Amino acid sequence: MMIRVDLHIHSKYSRATSPNMDLKHIAYYAKLKGIDLIGTGDFTHPKWFITLKKKLVREGFYMYNGVHFVPSVEIATMGKHRVHHLIIAEDLDAAYQITELLVKKGVNVKSDGRPMTGMSPPELVDIVHNVSERNLVIPAHVWTPWFGLFGSKSGFDRIEDCYKDMTSKIVALETGLSSDPAMNWMVSSLDQFTLVSNSDAHSPESLGREMNLVEAHDYKSLYNAIVHKRVTTIEVDPAFGKYHFDGHRKCNVRVHPGEGVTLCPVCGKPLTIGVLHRVYDLADREYGFKPAGAQPYYKLIPLKHILSAVLGVGVNTKTVDRAYTDMIRRYGDEYSILLNPPTTGNTKLDSVLKANREGSLNVIPGYDGVFGKLSL
Ligand SMILES: [Zn+2]
Ligand SMILES: [Zn+2]
């Protein structure tokens, strides 16, 4: 069965996360969005783990209110290089053992659902794989400036510089909101890794904004699909991000990194460097190159943003809320609507939904703190 999978979220026990990130709201929004399987997030947190143990029922994966779950957590390794790692455990027993080993190493798992550790990335991989070879360590949102493995601020230039002798245990990378597969294809050393995409949601509304389509019915089949690159990702256009291009907000200057401009042509100050620039720095291929065996992906703009653009009102308005709820009621969950656009009778909306599905909508790229914008 083809399922929609979002492996990276945070519970209410992570810092800066909505108090609504509990099982009830997560399951409710998962159904609204059309997500079949969700990473629990934060399994190292004692209170969240007790909830998971109590409420989740074993059924293929785990189940709560009709939504499947798989144990996951994000861990930050600190020091000169700061990297976030997404960890997927094959079951709750494995999750518990990982937490115990982390606690033995002195990791504080109680204060934050996303624990930090002074341990090195290879040490972390060693712990996770000692519990079970089928657990996964996936470098999270690899291009974000802070905490991404390749981040411009505290990352590495090569994956093996991060994971050293444990690099062979890494099978997948998370593209994150700031990159899509096409950007990653510019770096040939990444060809060997499976690309996965997740929401990193801190609130129920953000669940599934990026996710994966995978043929799976239990952990083993999910694991095999990830190892063998049988994953189609759903991406939001990275141009939406507020640091995609280089630029200078004060002077309204937006520059593609390929242009090689580093100083603001208006005021002469250095431009704020965007995420795409970092990809160009590490790239050994032109943009547009597609490696053999590349995974398919969809670039989809979330329904509320589509409705906001079509109706000409802000995304956080009652008008958009009402239109969204109405569409869900009439046509089913959000990602079924986005992947198989219905005929609504509103010709403008129908043509935008169709263009979205084909990936042909135009986003004016974000830069220097200015969000990217959908242009119709
Ligand atoms: Zn993170
Ligand atoms: Zn300027």
Side-chain angles (χ1 to χ4, degrees), residues 247-253 263-271:
H248 194 200
R249 172 167 41 175
K250 251 179 78 189
C251 302
N252 282 318
V253 169
L263 298 178
C264 176
V266 177
C267 71
K269 287 192 181 139
L271 294 176

Side-chain angles (χ1 to χ4, degrees), residues 27 67 96-97 107 116 136 183 187 200 255 275 376:
V67 176
Y96 185 76
Q97 290 176 50
V107 178
M116 291 180 284
L136 289 162
M183 286 163 69
V187 185
D200 198 356
V255 185
V275 174
L376 291 185

Side-chain angles (χ1 to χ4, degrees), residues 8 10 74 84 114 140-141 147 200:
H8 183 173
H10 290 278
E74 184 181 42
H84 283 181
R114 185 213 286 125
H141 43 72
F147 306 114
D200 198 356

Side-chain angles (χ1 to χ4, degrees), residues 145-199:
W146 300 99
F147 306 114
L149 193 153
F150 299 125
S152 56
K153 304 290 186 191
S154 58
F156 296 89
D157 286 353
R158 302 183 319 158
I159 193 155
E160 55 269 38
D161 295 337
C162 176
Y163 292 109
K164 307 234 160 63
D165 56 329
M166 298 304 268
T167 305
S168 65
K169 306 280 186 196
I170 306 299
V171 298
L173 310 176
E174 187 185 66
T175 63
L177 291 166
S178 50
S179 84
D180 63 8
M183 286 163 69
N184 289 277
W185 295 341
M186 294 176 72
V187 185
S188 62
S189 58
L190 305 188
D191 288 356
Q192 58 179 302
F193 299 100
T194 304
L195 300 177
V196 297
S197 208
N198 302 299
S199 70

